[in-house]
Structure formats: structure tokens, C-alpha cells
Amino acid sequence: MPFLAWSSAGQVVDFKGDAFITPKGASAKMATMKFPIEVGDMIETKTTGSIKILFADDTILTLKENSKTLITEFLFNADAKKRKSVFSIFSGKIRKTVGKYFGDDQQVEIKTSTAVAGIRGTDVGALVTAKQTTFFCFDGNFFSYNIAFPEKVVNVNEGLGIDIEKGFAASSDQ
């Protein structure tokens, strides 16, 4: 699939049950295969839903049941070898697999109400509630911190996880 020919940031490559996309300024639409995904789109799944989105930079975002995510930012320029993407996770279970399209020095972030994870060529899962974010590293490594304590950055290696609670700094002994 030639990424440069894409006219959107990404597209739906798999879904089941109740999975919806709400384009910026529009009403919710039921997910369909190859549904185009753009910056500002809200992706939401209900009790029976799940959805997988492939982005133009070879990044995959998977949302399981009862999840809600906003595509906050997505910039991809293959010619300049630059990308930046930010995904705001409001609730639920997600998995983000970031391909090493240009190496490790690229900005891809998951933001929640309690935490931020900076991921580069990594496979990360997250369980997000209003008061806590749990990240798990399936492959590679990433850094994370509580949004209230950005100076307390913790590196999370493959096979390990971290719980970040509202009001508490991230710690490597969690």
C-alpha cells in the first residue's frame, strides 16, 4: 500500500460491533472498512465494539470495547522524514504499535487525563480511566510521566508496565 498516495491520515482496516467515527464538526458514523480517518476525528467503541486503524506512517491504533480516542495531531512527511502524532485517550483499552518508519527520533504520543507516553518504534497498550492510566510495553521501550509531574519521567522497557494515578508522580518502582 503506497503511503504517500493516501489522502487521509489513516483508514479503518478492521472493526466489529458498535464502532463509530465522529469527524470534526459532524455527527457520528458507523465504522466501515477503509473509512478515512482525519485529525480531529473522535473514535469510539461501545460494549460490543472494537476497531483497528492503520495510519499513513505504518502506525496501528486498536481500540477495544468501551473506548474513546481523539486524533489530536497527525503530521507525516515521508520526503522530509518527519512525523508527529498525538492521540488523546479518554477511556478504555487501546494498543498503539508505532513502526520505525524513520527510526527512533520521531514524536508519537499517547495523552490521557493523568499521563503521557512518548513512543518510538514501540508496541504499547493502555488501560485508561478518569483517575488512572496503566501502560504496558509489549515491544521496545517508551517514556511516561504524570501530566501533573512532567519532570518525573520514567522509562518503561519491554515486558514491563506502569500505573500512573491522578495526583501521584510516576515512579520506576510502581
Side-chain angles (χ1 to χ4, degrees), residues 16-17 23 25 27 29 51 57 67 69 99 105 112 124 160 164 174:
K16 72 175 185 177
S27 57
K29 298 176 183 354
I51 190 168
D57 67 347
S67 298
T69 298
D105 191 26
T112 74
V124 175
L160 300 175
I164 300 177
Q174 288 188 8

Side-chain angles (χ1 to χ4, degrees), residues 3-152:
F3 296 122
L4 298 175
W6 288 25
S7 61
S8 61
Q11 65 182 1
V12 174
V13 293
D14 193 21
F15 71 96
K16 72 175 185 177
D18 291 330
F20 301 92
I21 296 104
T22 305
K24 189 175 183 177
S27 57
K29 298 176 183 354
M30 182 70 91
T32 58
M33 290 300 288
K34 297 186 179 182
F35 191 103
I37 302 298
E38 302 290 349
V39 172
D41 286 359
M42 182 70 72
I43 316 299
E44 188 170 7
T45 60
K46 302 295 183 186
T47 305
T48 63
S50 66
I51 190 168
K52 184 182 285 188
I53 299 164
L54 174 64
F55 288 88
D57 67 347
D58 202 26
T59 293
I60 298 171
L61 175 66
T62 304
L63 280 73
K64 292 298 191 180
E65 70 278 351
N66 297 316
S67 298
K68 189 173 184 179
T69 298
L70 176 67
I71 311 305
T72 308
E73 232 178 297
F74 185 85
L75 304 170
F76 177 64
N77 184 327
D79 294 335
K81 295 187 176 183
K82 293 189 183 261
R83 75 170 164 197
K84 180 178 182 186
S85 54
V86 179
F87 302 87
S88 299
I89 314 299
F90 298 101
S91 61
K93 294 182 252 180
I94 67 105
R95 189 164 181 175
K96 184 80 173 145
T97 306
V98 178
K100 292 186 179 185
Y101 201 87
F102 301 126
D104 292 338
D105 191 26
Q106 301 296 313
Q107 297 180 4
V108 179
E109 292 183 340
I110 297 172
K111 291 186 176 183
T112 74
S113 64
T114 57
V116 174
I119 53 181
R120 280 88 173 125
T122 308
D123 187 356
V124 175
L127 174 60
V128 180
T129 66
K131 294 183 179 181
Q132 180 174 316
T133 299
T134 300
F135 289 119
F136 184 80
C137 187
F138 294 102
D139 185 40
N141 62 59
F142 66 93
F143 68 86
S144 185
Y145 58 89
N146 187 310
I147 59 169
F149 303 96
E151 71 283 359
K152 305 275 185 180

